[in-house]
Amino acid sequence: MSFNSFGRVFRFSTWGESHGPAIGAVVDGCPPGLALSEADIQPWLDLRKPGTSKFTTQRREPDAVRILSGVFEGRTTGTPISLMIDNTDQRSKDYSDVAKAYRPGHADYAYDAKYGFRDYRGGGRSSARETASRVAAGAVARAVIPDVDIFAYVSEIGGDGIDHANFDPAQIAENPFFCPDAQAARRWEKLVDDARLDGSSLGAVVECVAAGVPAGWGAPLYAKLDSELAAAMMSINAVKGVEIGDGFAAARLRGEQNADPMRPGADGPTFLANHAGGIAGGISTGQPIKLRVAFKPTSSILIPVDTVTREGEASQIITKGRHDPCVGIRGVPVVEAMMALVLADQKLLHRAQCGDRAAD
Amino acid sequence: MSFNSFGRVFRFSTWGESHGPAIGAVVDGCPPGLALSEADIQPWLDLRKPGTSKFTTQRREPDAVRILSGVFEGRTTGTPISLMIDNTDQRSKDYSDVAKAYRPGHADYAYDAKYGFRDYRGGGRSSARETASRVAAGAVARAVIPDVDIFAYVSEIGGDGIDHANFDPAQIAENPFFCPDAQAARRWEKLVDDARLDGSSLGAVVECVAAGVPAGWGAPLYAKLDSELAAAMMSINAVKGVEIGDGFAAARLRGEQNADPMRPGADGPTFLANHAGGIAGGISTGQPIKLRVAFKPTSSILIPVDTVTREGEASQIITKGRHDPCVGIRGVPVVEAMMALVLADQKLLHRAQCGDRAAD
Amino acid sequence: MSFNSFGRVFRFSTWGESHGPAIGAVVDGCPPGLALSEADIQPWLDLRKPGTSKFTTQRREPDAVRILSGVFEGRTTGTPISLMIDNTDQRSKDYSDVAKAYRPGHADYAYDAKYGFRDYRGGGRSSARETASRVAAGAVARAVIPDVDIFAYVSEIGGDGIDHANFDPAQIAENPFFCPDAQAARRWEKLVDDARLDGSSLGAVVECVAAGVPAGWGAPLYAKLDSELAAAMMSINAVKGVEIGDGFAAARLRGEQNADPMRPGADGPTFLANHAGGIAGGISTGQPIKLRVAFKPTSSILIPVDTVTREGEASQIITKGRHDPCVGIRGVPVVEAMMALVLADQKLLHRAQCGDRAAD
Amino acid sequence: MSFNSFGRVFRFSTWGESHGPAIGAVVDGCPPGLALSEADIQPWLDLRKPGTSKFTTQRREPDAVRILSGVFEGRTTGTPISLMIDNTDQRSKDYSDVAKAYRPGHADYAYDAKYGFRDYRGGGRSSARETASRVAAGAVARAVIPDVDIFAYVSEIGGDGIDHANFDPAQIAENPFFCPDAQAARRWEKLVDDARLDGSSLGAVVECVAAGVPAGWGAPLYAKLDSELAAAMMSINAVKGVEIGDGFAAARLRGEQNADPMRPGADGPTFLANHAGGIAGGISTGQPIKLRVAFKPTSSILIPVDTVTREGEASQIITKGRHDPCVGIRGVPVVEAMMALVLADQKLLHRAQCGDRAAD
């Protein structure tokens, strides 16, 4: 067990604080012989990169990844892959407010309670900056599951959801919100900008689909695919809810409505519905894996909130700095990365126990 | 890593199928010197026991637990605690339907795809019967965290939710639904009975609260309390969604609404709200831990559903037998057990890294 | 991590004390579809069984194993395999001596120091009785690696070693010492009997060979085959030394003497020597895996030894009861079992990372 | 589980190849609040550093460590500590011989068999260079166990052992062999130099003692201290044997000779001997932990050895380059580091299960 690692056979560990010299990830257990270079990883980091629109933080980090080990002549060797990203935009700043008083909604108070003190610069280890390491590791995971197609998008911001009738995956890359509904994207421009100008922030819902997962990945009972995915998603900063398939909506259905009936198909059974989100008994069914993730609104806001100081005195705090008005937006590539990381691990786990027979 | 184990330092493993001779759990890493006997475990099993009302399965199992190791003269010794529960009501039955065709919503097809075959009697390993082992292990966990008070209840069945204005914890033990709202409990009698008579089933939402958790348990980033709890809950049969604190509702709030402001209190800060469900940055804040869990409707229904046979031919199936019309009801003690198991583990983990200083 | 589990993907956990109702093991991660019944396990237990000659303890246990889960219609299902062995010969006895004073060489004092108290009946969890669970689990492991041939034997008792010129594997089953040298076996009869009559005990060296392991199992650097095997062997009661290949003798060789030169062979390279014990860089080379294990003399002796009581007063203690005069003898099936358990796990791990290509 | 990680709660992972840009370690689970800076780590690395005498490799690496995360204002924060050491002396060299043919005794063939290809430059991941990462991580471990005093030394080179009558710990730092016997050190000068001039190499035995470990660390049965230490030592390059306490010599003793009798002492029992090496039943007894480790002779020699090429043709190979004539010498700080890493982990594990009561 390891506090900062995730995965069972295909396993990654991350390290680094927002205001240290660098952050990074070590990916262990990667199969050998896969083509991998920095150019395979960088595009995913660029999607998550701050400073690309006024709807994300204005911190500017090139987030250039370096591979320090585990790759030889363009292929993975089977040894640990060390990935490093320098921190370049650590704007010199006065952190005395944050050092003295706890920002409600942040990890400040909990870290102090646990560790006795904390690295308060930019949130330290609890900063969303850590998610860049996940995105880098996720790019390695994608090389392990080349037949799986993963995509995520924002389906709701501040309670304003997309209309699934307008769903067009091609739109996702066309707006700064990873939004598949062009009309919603237009509405969100004003919505997010208003929150930003108010010094406030908005929550969001991110949906993710993985197509091409064969039936048979996942393992009952405590390595169930639902359980692994929930753990993965809930480990992302600001995430407070996860649904697989219909999730909470399934709790309002009757058994016959929630069943996913089957018919004979050319390559095994065809399913007539996918309420289960592609997972039954914790194991993939061959249908697309589907999940939804709730991001709370960014805790860093310019509106004063009641708080206490480290010395226990009443105070108010506002969190200056360059923050995402809606942290869920940049969560999209992170959700995708975690999906890839879980599935790569599950592919290898399945292969360990059951051989290549059903692996893919 | 282990497919059928959960936990890091305080760790349990379960084994057994619904129609084998017995099921059980092995609890490892339990602190020594805790008072423990079968009488401490049995009451929790009795809460989960089938056959106690017409709203749960009519299978009748005494679910009598035996402690086979790890306890000497009434106290835990620090060695593995082996818990065993005999299966007594394995009614002889014709399983040829289930052996031949896949029950939609069940693990049948996924198990076959993964393992090449399956123990089809009563669901085998995927049966909810396994949750009795969790409840037994959870009772051991409670001995590790005597100052933590855990309670769960059903807050919604088939879309009909409780009115929080009527919330009365004393009611939970007074009706067969673990329902804290006496009026809702009365409505649910008809609701669940109608579903049962229709041969259908209903989903449910279970809420769980743990009070008395000190600030400081949980560990960033991949052993975050949110992440561990989500994994624990999503490993329960039929669970498809988990929310910590406000969960998806937080995604519709603005930053200042979602903040949990603090004021000075007698023993550290007092929080004016608990949108975060008692967890910030993955670490407990000292507020009550709160979560919600979505149970899908029982997949075993008497209404015919389209399916395919193992040979790939079109068919229909109905699942005869003695099933829970709403599996979420008996999920209440299971959710509580998983909460206890996670918190016991986190207490020991925290103590490992940070010593007793902040442990409790 | 788990105190009482071993293995990574193919993983087993044991539970039970010598004087409880039963002991057992749970094997998790076993591939599905393997033929397995109690009749496949029992013969290995019979080899380890006490009371078969005057050279082993006179405790009489049938050591009859039951499979409680994980097997359906004679084949493993991929779910946890629960194995249980009842304790039947718990002779009622006065343990007050052992409860009061520490037996030097035993775990008594260390357990008290760690846990604050201990189950003193027959050594409790530290009894060699636990090794029956390993032997049962090892029999399952053998089913995972059918092409690997494992055999162990005693090569030295009380400093009297076999003559490798007399080495005849057929002899191993022909004497009560698992001795491949008929002449040594005759000498040991008197040697061990004398120690027994003196109320003393003898140490032993056990050697183990695994033939048929393909090149490629094991993983640098902390899952190296040498490391896994050393951990496995050193976890056995009374073991205090492990050598892979030439072990300490290699420390006295020069580089050119210790090299294992290679020549082209029909199926890959042929090695002209095996100083490395079949492992290079932590990975199997295709040569036989070879190791040696040192067992200390049984600590339970009838000769009085200075000790202290729980209250810290000077005392002397002799350990009455039915003990092995040379615990290394019955260690032979345990060493074989641990070898099988490590190799089964490594086969699956290799398959996870590298696929079936080189798995076997 | 993770191929390149070690430890349970206090856990480290290493990455890097001898000829990549850098190597490193990530230490996770470190308690917060410990004083730590690069100056605390560098001296241990300097002890292991190559090029300090003609008896070690002439490769010259400053081995300057950088702390990239997990430390704030001179104290550990409880988050992952990332340690990095640049590779600076990667002399441009022709590796075509090594790329084409397998060096007997090296990992070359086994890596190819496992992974299908390998990074052949300087041994890649299997290079002893990786041990610098362990030494760096071990320095962090020492901060966790400030009351434990660890020292190791070479007790035998090429079969020529020290005379324990001459044992003087002050000598260890006075010669290039970490030798506590000044006379042996003088003999070894010629012995090692002769081997070097012959283009050959020598094996060695390293002994390690840890004093100040309280009774109670370690955990039966598969996290036994003997087992953890054996795994740790056997994971070091070139190690082929491990003994705890008397090790193989104990196999030649009788029970009464091997007992470690106890007498009442001022602070608990006093032991009259330490055959057990400070560990009984897998748990520390409060006596010094003692172990011995066998290093095989360096496989890289200038004497031609029969081998085969990757294409399977007969060949001979000599390994040019700058190699240690006796790799065991520079193994001393590595053995110490692994001892520290195991004990730090066991301290935290003990604290997890049993609290601070007996922790130290």
Side-chain angles (χ1 to χ4, degrees):
Chain A
M1 80 119 262
S2 191
F3 301 112
N4 289 279
S5 300
F6 191 89
R8 294 166 184 259
V9 170
F10 181 89
R11 188 170 169 91
F12 73 100
S13 307
T14 72
W15 55 268
E17 282 84 38
S18 59
H19 282 62
I23 59 171
V26 181
V27 178
D28 199 4
C30 185
L34 306 178
L36 188 74
S37 73
E38 282 138 4
D40 296 309
I41 303 174
Q42 195 60 49
W44 305 106
L45 280 166
D46 292 345
L47 284 177
R48 196 210 72 100
K49 202 166 60 177
T52 51
S53 80
K54 68 178 170 182
F55 307 109
T56 61
T57 171
Q58 295 308 299
R59 182 168 168 154
R60 296 195 176 273
E61 294 276 9
D63 277 0
V65 69
R66 278 184 294 155
I67 299 175
L68 298 179
S69 67
V71 174
F72 181 58
E73 298 182 342
R75 287 187 297 160
T76 59
T77 60
T79 61
I81 301 168
S82 177
L83 305 167
M84 191 158 93
I85 301 166
D86 286 329
N87 289 333
T88 56
D89 184 10
Q90 310 149 34
R91 191 167 297 188
S92 81
K93 194 192 136 176
D94 180 5
Y95 284 104
S96 55
D97 283 5
V98 180
K100 275 193 299 196
Y102 299 121
R103 293 167 299 168
H106 276 89
D108 299 349
Y109 172 68
Y111 269 58
D112 259 17
K114 181 173 193 70
Y115 300 119
F117 77 119
R118 76 197 130 96
D119 180 350
Y120 46 74
R121 299 165 305 160
R125 180 69 179 154
S126 70
S127 165
R129 176 131 193 81
E130 185 267 351
T131 60
S133 298
R134 304 178 187 229
V135 171
V140 181
R142 289 176 193 261
V144 178
I145 47 168
D147 299 333
V148 176
D149 182 36
I150 296 169
F151 68 99
Y153 50 89
V154 177
S155 66
E156 188 182 314
I157 290 185
D160 180 9
I162 61 170
D163 181 346
H164 277 87
N166 296 339
F167 190 95
D168 175 5
Q171 285 297 319
I172 297 173
E174 298 301 313
N175 59 69
F177 305 108
F178 299 103
C179 177
D181 169 355
Q183 292 182 22
R186 274 190 294 276
R187 295 194 306 270
W188 294 349
E189 290 200 12
K190 178 165 167 43
L191 185 70
V192 177
D193 209 36
D194 284 354
R196 184 178 67 82
L197 294 171
D198 292 348
S200 181
S201 61
L202 297 170
V205 175
V206 173
E207 300 187 3
C208 186
V209 179
V213 176
W217 293 3
L221 284 165
Y222 300 99
K224 280 169 119 166
L225 209 39
D226 322 70
S227 181
E228 297 285 289
L229 288 168
M233 299 303 157
M234 278 281 201
S235 74
I236 303 172
N237 308 48
V239 171
K240 297 303 274 189
V242 180
E243 296 180 312
I244 309 289
D246 283 4
F248 280 86
R252 295 190 293 272
L253 299 179
R254 285 166 70 102
E256 66 276 19
Q257 295 167 321
N258 189 59
D260 294 324
M262 297 155 98
R263 271 198 202 143
D267 307 310
T270 303
F271 291 86
L272 307 184
N274 188 9
H275 297 282
I279 308 173
I283 299 171
S284 61
T285 61
Q287 293 183 279
I289 309 289
K290 290 191 176 187
L291 56 80
R292 301 175 78 240
V293 179
F295 285 83
K296 68 176 185 180
T298 317
S299 300
S300 299
I301 51 175
L302 290 168
I303 297 169
V305 186
D306 285 345
T307 190
V308 296
T309 65
R310 290 202 69 187
E311 279 66 43
E313 292 177 6
S315 181
Q316 280 206 327
I317 195 162
I318 65 171
T319 310
K320 294 168 221 151
R322 299 160 291 161
H323 302 293
D324 284 282
C326 174
V327 73
I329 297 170
R330 290 204 298 135
V332 166
V334 184
V335 166
E336 286 189 5
M338 294 308 292
M339 174 71 90
L341 287 156
V342 168
L343 293 177
D345 190 31
Q346 293 291 335
K347 174 181 174 173
L348 302 195
L349 269 176
H350 176 69
R351 190 157 76 175
Q353 193 181 13
C354 299
D356 272 337
R357 180 174 56 83
D360 48 8
Chain B
M1 79 121 262
S2 191
F3 301 113
N4 289 279
S5 300
F6 191 89
R8 295 166 183 260
V9 169
F10 181 89
R11 189 171 168 90
F12 73 100
S13 308
T14 72
W15 55 268
E17 282 84 38
S18 59
H19 283 62
I23 60 173
V26 181
V27 178
D28 199 5
C30 185
L34 306 178
L36 188 74
S37 73
E38 283 138 4
D40 296 310
I41 304 174
Q42 195 61 49
W44 305 105
L45 280 167
D46 292 346
L47 285 178
R48 197 211 70 101
K49 201 166 60 177
T52 51
S53 80
K54 68 178 171 183
F55 307 110
T56 62
T57 172
Q58 294 308 299
R59 182 168 169 152
R60 294 192 177 275
E61 295 275 9
D63 277 0
V65 68
R66 277 183 294 155
I67 298 175
L68 298 180
S69 68
V71 175
F72 180 58
E73 298 183 342
R75 288 187 296 160
T76 58
T77 61
T79 62
I81 301 169
S82 177
L83 305 167
M84 190 158 93
I85 301 167
D86 287 329
N87 289 333
T88 56
D89 185 10
Q90 310 148 33
R91 190 168 297 189
S92 82
K93 195 193 134 177
D94 180 5
Y95 283 105
S96 55
D97 283 5
V98 180
K100 275 193 302 197
Y102 299 121
R103 293 168 299 169
H106 275 89
D108 299 350
Y109 171 69
Y111 269 58
D112 259 16
K114 181 174 192 69
Y115 299 120
F117 78 118
R118 77 197 129 98
D119 179 350
Y120 44 74
R121 300 165 305 161
R125 180 70 179 152
S126 69
S127 165
R129 176 132 192 80
E130 186 267 349
T131 59
S133 298
R134 304 179 188 228
V135 171
V140 180
R142 287 176 194 262
V144 178
I145 45 169
D147 298 333
V148 177
D149 182 36
I150 296 170
F151 69 99
Y153 51 89
V154 177
S155 66
E156 186 182 314
I157 290 184
D160 180 9
I162 61 170
D163 180 346
H164 276 86
N166 295 338
F167 190 95
D168 175 6
Q171 285 297 317
I172 297 173
E174 299 300 314
N175 59 68
F177 304 108
F178 299 103
C179 177
D181 170 354
Q183 293 181 22
R186 275 191 292 277
R187 295 194 307 271
W188 293 352
E189 290 199 14
K190 178 165 166 42
L191 186 71
V192 177
D193 209 36
D194 284 355
R196 185 178 67 82
L197 295 171
D198 292 348
S200 184
S201 62
L202 297 170
V205 174
V206 173
E207 300 187 2
C208 186
V209 179
V213 175
W217 293 3
L221 284 166
Y222 301 100
K224 278 169 121 166
L225 208 40
D226 322 70
S227 182
E228 298 286 290
L229 288 168
M233 298 304 156
M234 278 282 200
S235 75
I236 302 173
N237 307 49
V239 170
K240 299 303 276 187
V242 180
E243 296 179 313
I244 309 288
D246 283 4
F248 280 86
R252 296 190 292 271
L253 299 179
R254 286 166 70 103
E256 66 277 19
Q257 295 167 320
N258 189 58
D260 294 324
M262 298 155 96
R263 273 200 201 140
D267 306 311
T270 304
F271 291 86
L272 307 184
N274 189 7
H275 298 283
I279 309 173
I283 299 171
S284 60
T285 61
Q287 294 183 278
I289 309 288
K290 291 191 175 188
L291 55 80
R292 301 175 77 241
V293 179
F295 284 84
K296 68 176 185 179
T298 317
S299 299
S300 299
I301 51 176
L302 291 168
I303 298 169
V305 186
D306 285 344
T307 190
V308 297
T309 65
R310 289 203 70 186
E311 280 66 42
E313 293 177 6
S315 182
Q316 279 206 327
I317 195 161
I318 65 172
T319 310
K320 295 168 220 152
R322 299 159 292 162
H323 302 294
D324 284 282
C326 175
V327 74
I329 298 170
R330 291 205 296 135
V332 166
V334 184
V335 166
E336 285 188 6
M338 295 307 294
M339 174 71 91
L341 287 157
V342 167
L343 292 177
D345 190 31
Q346 292 292 334
K347 174 181 173 174
L348 302 194
L349 269 176
H350 176 67
R351 189 157 76 175
Q353 192 181 12
C354 300
D356 273 336
R357 180 176 56 84
D360 47 10
Chain C
M1 78 121 264
S2 190
F3 302 113
N4 289 278
S5 300
F6 191 88
R8 294 166 184 260
V9 169
F10 181 89
R11 187 170 169 91
F12 73 100
S13 307
T14 72
W15 55 268
E17 282 84 37
S18 58
H19 283 63
I23 61 172
V26 180
V27 178
D28 198 5
C30 186
L34 306 177
L36 187 74
S37 73
E38 283 138 4
D40 295 310
I41 303 173
Q42 195 61 48
W44 304 106
L45 280 167
D46 292 345
L47 284 177
R48 198 211 70 99
K49 199 166 62 178
T52 52
S53 81
K54 67 179 171 183
F55 307 110
T56 61
T57 172
Q58 295 308 299
R59 182 167 168 153
R60 295 192 176 276
E61 294 276 10
D63 277 0
V65 69
R66 277 184 295 156
I67 299 175
L68 298 180
S69 67
V71 174
F72 180 59
E73 298 183 342
R75 287 188 296 161
T76 58
T77 60
T79 61
I81 301 168
S82 177
L83 305 167
M84 190 160 94
I85 301 167
D86 286 330
N87 289 334
T88 57
D89 184 10
Q90 311 150 32
R91 191 167 296 188
S92 82
K93 197 193 133 177
D94 180 5
Y95 283 104
S96 55
D97 283 6
V98 180
K100 276 192 301 197
Y102 299 122
R103 293 167 301 167
H106 275 89
D108 299 350
Y109 172 69
Y111 270 58
D112 259 17
K114 181 174 191 70
Y115 299 119
F117 78 119
R118 76 198 128 97
D119 179 351
Y120 45 73
R121 300 164 306 159
R125 180 70 181 151
S126 69
S127 165
R129 176 132 193 80
E130 185 267 351
T131 60
S133 298
R134 303 178 188 228
V135 171
V140 180
R142 288 177 194 262
V144 177
I145 46 169
D147 298 333
V148 176
D149 183 36
I150 296 170
F151 70 99
Y153 51 89
V154 177
S155 66
E156 189 182 311
I157 290 184
D160 181 9
I162 61 170
D163 181 346
H164 276 87
N166 295 337
F167 190 96
D168 176 5
Q171 284 297 319
I172 296 172
E174 298 300 314
N175 59 68
F177 305 107
F178 299 103
C179 177
D181 170 354
Q183 292 181 22
R186 276 191 293 276
R187 294 195 307 270
W188 293 351
E189 291 199 11
K190 178 163 166 44
L191 185 70
V192 178
D193 209 36
D194 284 355
R196 184 178 67 83
L197 295 172
D198 293 348
S200 182
S201 62
L202 297 169
V205 175
V206 173
E207 300 187 4
C208 186
V209 179
V213 175
W217 293 3
L221 285 165
Y222 300 99
K224 279 170 121 166
L225 208 40
D226 322 70
S227 182
E228 298 285 290
L229 288 168
M233 299 303 157
M234 278 282 200
S235 75
I236 303 173
N237 307 51
V239 170
K240 297 303 275 188
V242 180
E243 296 180 314
I244 308 288
D246 283 4
F248 280 86
R252 296 190 292 272
L253 298 178
R254 285 166 70 101
E256 65 277 20
Q257 296 167 319
N258 189 58
D260 294 324
M262 297 156 98
R263 272 198 202 142
D267 307 311
T270 304
F271 291 86
L272 307 183
N274 188 9
H275 297 282
I279 308 173
I283 299 171
S284 61
T285 61
Q287 294 183 277
I289 309 289
K290 290 191 174 186
L291 56 81
R292 301 175 77 240
V293 179
F295 284 84
K296 68 175 185 180
T298 317
S299 299
S300 299
I301 51 176
L302 291 168
I303 298 169
V305 187
D306 285 345
T307 190
V308 297
T309 65
R310 290 201 71 186
E311 279 67 42
E313 293 177 6
S315 181
Q316 280 206 325
I317 196 162
I318 64 172
T319 311
K320 294 170 222 152
R322 299 159 292 162
H323 302 294
D324 284 282
C326 174
V327 74
I329 297 170
R330 292 205 296 135
V332 166
V334 184
V335 166
E336 286 188 7
M338 295 307 293
M339 174 70 91
L341 287 157
V342 168
L343 293 177
D345 189 32
Q346 292 291 335
K347 174 180 173 173
L348 302 195
L349 269 176
H350 176 68
R351 191 157 74 176
Q353 193 181 12
C354 300
D356 274 336
R357 180 175 57 81
D360 48 10
Chain D
M1 79 120 261
S2 190
F3 301 113
N4 290 279
S5 299
F6 191 89
R8 294 165 184 261
V9 169
F10 181 88
R11 189 171 168 90
F12 73 99
S13 308
T14 73
W15 55 268
E17 282 84 39
S18 58
H19 283 61
I23 61 172
V26 180
V27 178
D28 199 6
C30 185
L34 306 177
L36 187 75
S37 73
E38 283 137 4
D40 296 309
I41 304 175
Q42 195 60 50
W44 305 105
L45 280 167
D46 292 346
L47 285 179
R48 198 211 69 102
K49 200 166 62 178
T52 52
S53 80
K54 69 179 170 182
F55 307 110
T56 61
T57 173
Q58 294 309 298
R59 181 167 170 154
R60 295 193 177 275
E61 295 276 9
D63 278 359
V65 69
R66 277 184 293 156
I67 299 175
L68 299 180
S69 67
V71 175
F72 179 59
E73 298 182 343
R75 287 188 297 159
T76 58
T77 59
T79 61
I81 301 168
S82 177
L83 305 167
M84 191 159 93
I85 301 166
D86 286 329
N87 289 333
T88 55
D89 185 10
Q90 311 148 34
R91 192 168 297 189
S92 80
K93 195 193 136 177
D94 180 5
Y95 283 104
S96 56
D97 283 4
V98 179
K100 275 193 300 195
Y102 299 121
R103 293 168 299 169
H106 275 89
D108 299 350
Y109 172 67
Y111 269 59
D112 259 17
K114 181 173 192 71
Y115 299 119
F117 78 118
R118 76 198 129 97
D119 180 350
Y120 44 74
R121 299 165 306 160
R125 181 69 180 152
S126 69
S127 165
R129 176 134 192 79
E130 185 267 350
T131 59
S133 298
R134 304 178 188 229
V135 171
V140 180
R142 287 176 194 262
V144 178
I145 46 169
D147 299 332
V148 176
D149 182 36
I150 295 170
F151 69 99
Y153 51 88
V154 177
S155 66
E156 188 182 312
I157 290 184
D160 180 9
I162 60 170
D163 181 346
H164 276 87
N166 297 337
F167 190 95
D168 175 6
Q171 286 296 318
I172 297 174
E174 299 299 314
N175 59 68
F177 305 108
F178 299 102
C179 177
D181 168 356
Q183 292 181 23
R186 277 192 291 276
R187 295 195 306 272
W188 293 351
E189 290 199 13
K190 177 164 167 44
L191 186 71
V192 177
D193 208 37
D194 285 355
R196 184 179 66 83
L197 295 171
D198 293 348
S200 183
S201 63
L202 297 169
V205 175
V206 173
E207 300 187 3
C208 186
V209 179
V213 175
W217 293 2
L221 284 164
Y222 300 99
K224 281 169 119 164
L225 208 39
D226 321 71
S227 182
E228 298 285 290
L229 288 168
M233 299 303 158
M234 278 282 201
S235 76
I236 303 173
N237 306 49
V239 171
K240 298 302 276 189
V242 179
E243 296 180 313
I244 308 289
D246 284 4
F248 280 86
R252 295 191 294 271
L253 298 179
R254 286 167 70 102
E256 65 276 19
Q257 296 167 321
N258 189 59
D260 294 325
M262 298 156 97
R263 272 199 203 143
D267 307 312
T270 303
F271 291 86
L272 307 185
N274 189 7
H275 298 283
I279 308 172
I283 299 171
S284 60
T285 61
Q287 295 182 277
I289 309 288
K290 290 189 174 189
L291 55 81
R292 301 175 77 240
V293 179
F295 284 84
K296 68 175 185 180
T298 317
S299 299
S300 299
I301 52 177
L302 291 167
I303 298 169
V305 187
D306 285 345
T307 190
V308 296
T309 64
R310 290 203 70 185
E311 280 67 42
E313 292 178 5
S315 182
Q316 279 206 327
I317 195 161
I318 64 172
T319 311
K320 293 168 222 152
R322 299 159 291 162
H323 303 294
D324 284 282
C326 175
V327 74
I329 297 169
R330 291 205 296 133
V332 166
V334 184
V335 166
E336 285 187 5
M338 294 307 294
M339 175 70 91
L341 288 157
V342 168
L343 293 178
D345 190 31
Q346 292 291 335
K347 174 181 173 174
L348 302 195
L349 269 176
H350 176 68
R351 191 157 75 176
Q353 194 181 11
C354 300
D356 272 337
R357 180 175 56 84
D360 48 7

